[in-house]
Amino acid sequence: DVKVTQSSRYLVKRTGEKVFLECVQDMDHENMFWYRQDPGLGLRLIYFSYDVKMKEKGDIPEGYSVSREKKERFSLILESASTNQTSMYLCASYGGYEPLHFGNGTRLTVT
Amino acid sequence: KQEVTQIPAALSVPEGENLVLNCSFTDSAIYNLQWFRQDPGKGLTSLLLIQSSQREQTSGRLNASLDKSSGRSTLYIAASQPGDSATYLCAVDRSDDYKLSFGAGTTVTVRA
């Protein structure tokens, strides 16, 4: 079974802090994604990556950046956290011809 | 832009009743459609994936149909159980790049 692991289940950060959300998958998938989920808005794609060092903006990239130095790891970076980035963040990976696999999510609170 | 709608937003049924969850999308040019389940505070678990060339997929008590021309998919859950209580989301792949467009979900409560 594919395992997608997000390093933190809950995070509390202060406004202006730099925040790193880490995601690791164990199935050698090329494609990895970061979504955020908010009540009433559903899941929205922040960034995705098709390969190491490759990244593309999703629907809501503002205020975020990503890093993919190794195939198994995809990091989401909040350069200067703001309260409107309080949300549930979900990482996903995909290897082709199969469903998208999600991690358990990181609930981030920015105070 | 692909819009995905799920109605109703919430549903409560007694145990044993069959569940019918609806998903509609605005652009019929999809690559595939997926149904996911999400338990409170958790990530999403894939239930069924229907390729655009397929009309339905089945897994156990779950059956999902796809009608691309009308922009609809339906998830049927037979003989519901309290353990089926969760939020169910559908998502469409707009092209062959897995940039999914998600619906907001239907939250199901199955009463014992």
Side-chain angles (χ1 to χ4, degrees):
Chain A
D1 261 2
V2 175
K3 192 158 176 125
V4 179
T5 304
Q6 294 184 231
S7 55
S8 304
R9 289 300 308 279
Y10 301 95
L11 274 179
V12 180
K13 297 292 182 180
R14 294 193 179 275
T15 301
E17 276 194 78
K18 190 168 186 175
V19 181
F20 292 86
L21 303 183
E22 305 288 345
C23 175
V24 177
Q25 50 95 1
D26 65 358
M27 284 299 291
D28 203 36
H29 284 172
E30 292 180 345
N31 307 290
M32 296 188 74
F33 305 82
W34 275 105
Y35 287 87
R36 65 177 281 178
Q37 184 178 29
D38 300 287
L41 295 176
L43 273 80
R44 294 176 291 168
L45 181 64
I46 305 171
Y47 265 97
F48 59 102
S49 169
Y50 290 132
D51 204 346
V52 175
K53 297 192 186 296
M54 292 182 66
K55 59 187 179 185
E56 288 195 33
K57 294 179 180 179
D59 298 320
I60 52 162
E62 296 78 20
Y64 303 95
S65 62
V66 291
S67 173
R68 189 143 181 227
E69 297 296 319
K70 293 185 178 180
K71 196 172 188 178
E72 67 270 18
R73 186 180 298 271
F74 191 33
S75 302
L76 180 69
I77 304 158
L78 287 67
E79 296 289 342
S80 178
S82 64
T83 55
N84 64 11
Q85 292 179 309
T86 291
S87 186
M88 171 73 115
Y89 290 87
L90 293 162
C91 174
S93 77
Y94 163 63
Y97 303 105
E98 61 179 72
L100 203 60
H101 295 272
F102 280 87
N104 273 331
T106 296
R107 185 165 294 283
L108 173 67
T109 302
V110 182
T111 62
Chain B
K1 183 179 183 241
Q2 179 74 270
E3 301 286 343
V4 182
T5 304
Q6 292 185 250
I7 296 173
L11 190 58
S12 178
V13 299
E15 183 176 4
E17 191 165 302
N18 295 332
L19 283 164
V20 180
L21 306 180
N22 298 302
C23 172
S24 61
F25 46 94
T26 54
D27 187 346
S28 62
I30 66 170
Y31 184 68
N32 62 48
L33 183 145
Q34 297 183 49
W35 282 94
F36 294 89
R37 169 185 172 136
Q38 186 176 31
D39 293 297
K42 298 287 184 66
L44 280 67
T45 300
S46 178
L47 297 174
L48 291 166
L49 182 151
I50 311 176
Q51 300 288 353
S52 63
S53 58
Q54 297 175 315
R55 295 298 301 266
E56 66 177 350
Q57 277 285 349
T58 299
S59 176
R61 293 184 295 112
L62 277 60
N63 173 274
S65 65
L66 174 63
D67 184 345
K68 272 180 37 177
S69 60
S70 66
R72 291 185 195 169
S73 177
T74 303
L75 178 66
Y76 301 90
I77 303 177
S80 62
Q81 304 167 359
D84 294 328
S85 298
T87 297
Y88 293 84
L89 297 98
C90 72
V92 298
D93 190 357
R94 298 171 274 186
S95 58
D96 189 13
D97 62 6
Y98 255 75
K99 291 164 64 175
L100 302 187
S101 296
F102 281 84
T106 295
T107 299
V108 171
T109 302
V110 180
R111 307 185 303 271

